[in-house]
Amino acid sequence: MVTFGLDISHHQDLRLDLAQCRREGIEFVFLKSTEGSGFVDSEFSANLAEARAAGLLVAAYHYLRSNATPAAQVANVQRVVAFVDRLREAGYRVPLSYIPKWYWGQIGSPSLAGLPPLWSSRYPDNIIGSLADEWADVPARNWDGYGGLDVAVLQFTSSVRIAGHQPIDANAFRGTREELAALLGFVGEREDPMRNLILALEAGGPRVWVGDGITRRHVADPKELEGLRYWIGQKGGDPTVHEGFEDVRVLGTDVTAIVSQLTDDERNILAALQAPPKPAPVDIDYDKFVSDVVEKLADRLRTLRFDADPPKA
């Protein structure tokens, strides 16, 4: 099982549709939040809200700047370890460290003991292609760890074409979405019930039913069916209307009559409960965040990435 993701910043086309990216197989996104001692990515808040609304797992990264010699950067590795410890003490979760293998080799292949698992980057080529084509070119050796750390997430290309945009960085996690959520610190990620809905065309008749194995009902309105198909797909389910169901009772108990007898107020309440949640407002105190981090940074630390707080249930 492989779970795919992207990493984006203000450098990407602002018209990139993250909901469409999810429909094309993306389950997580790493967003640039800050860089160096004072830069804040101008698109971080908008990207975060859009990614959460699309149902993606989201993490943020801070890019550390360094203009030091290789020898000085080797010495900085231990300072990075201390920095990670202090971030954790301050309440930040730091599940990954982005250290490309070429950079690790450039500074003398030092031990990375004490750092989180690697978010590595190794590309087989720079040819633009689809997600499937780019992934098919990745050799197994690109997952080999280094510096005493395992590769948890692999940035396997910088040239993917997705949702009509290119080139974009693509990443892979060898495991399920739930396992990645645990790595990133998401506690008890709740599965959306729409993901488990099944759409079925009754055999010998024109009626379409929707059910989850417990209850089912007839979907008479074509616009409602269109909306159901969209949101089931959006939440990771199967939006296909399956044909030839000989016995729709397998979808659950028929509640069509009960739903038809609801009052207008009850219908409004039911619609509100079934509607996809609006993304929570993003409230980030950038001044406090940057000052907390900058106090702990050496000016010439190299790249490190960490996750944002998971969305609240």
Side-chain angles (χ1 to χ4, degrees), residues 40-231:
V40 175
D41 192 290
S42 59
E43 294 302 314
F44 176 67
S45 294
N47 285 337
L48 180 61
E50 183 181 356
R52 286 179 170 173
L56 296 168
L57 292 176
V58 189
Y61 67 85
H62 173 80
Y63 192 96
L64 298 176
R65 278 290 179 186
S66 176
N67 297 316
T69 64
Q73 292 184 59
V74 171
N76 272 342
V77 170
Q78 290 307 310
R79 286 196 284 273
V80 173
V81 173
F83 172 60
V84 169
D85 289 340
R86 295 187 67 180
L87 280 173
R88 287 169 171 162
E89 290 172 1
Y92 295 102
R93 183 173 175 83
V94 190
L96 299 169
S97 44
Y98 182 82
I99 304 174
K101 188 170 185 179
W102 65 263
Y103 174 74
W104 174 74
Q106 186 181 81
I107 62 174
S109 306
S111 170
L112 301 175
L115 291 175
L118 292 166
W119 172 14
S120 181
S121 65
R122 295 184 71 184
Y123 312 150
D125 56 53
N126 293 313
I127 301 173
I128 292 175
S130 68
L131 187 65
D133 288 342
E134 294 296 300
W135 175 244
D137 293 337
V138 178
R141 65 177 179 275
N142 283 17
W143 285 94
D144 293 344
Y146 43 92
L149 298 181
D150 293 329
V151 174
V153 175
L154 178 65
Q155 185 187 79
F156 61 90
T157 182
S158 61
S159 308
V160 79
R161 181 194 307 112
I162 194 161
H165 294 268
Q166 63 186 46
I168 297 175
D169 294 345
N171 303 269
F173 171 77
R174 292 194 295 188
T176 65
R177 174 187 167 109
E178 291 72 25
E179 289 169 335
L180 177 59
L183 172 65
L184 296 178
F186 291 76
V187 178
E189 187 192 18
R190 186 177 60 186
E191 184 175 71
D192 194 296
M194 294 199 75
R195 185 173 185 173
N196 297 320
L197 293 180
I198 298 173
L199 296 168
L201 179 64
E202 185 176 341
R207 296 203 298 178
V208 175
W209 295 81
V210 60
D212 61 2
I214 300 175
T215 62
R216 76 179 192 277
R217 65 181 179 84
H218 174 220
V219 183
D221 186 345
K223 290 185 177 180
E224 182 188 9
L225 177 60
E226 181 182 356
L228 280 170
R229 293 187 65 184
Y230 173 79
W231 282 110

Side-chain angles (χ1 to χ4, degrees), residues 250-267:
V250 298
L251 298 176
T253 302
D254 185 3
V255 295
T256 304
I258 297 174
V259 173
S260 66
Q261 294 170 10
L262 294 176
T263 66
D264 289 342
D265 287 341
E266 290 170 334
R267 288 179 185 277

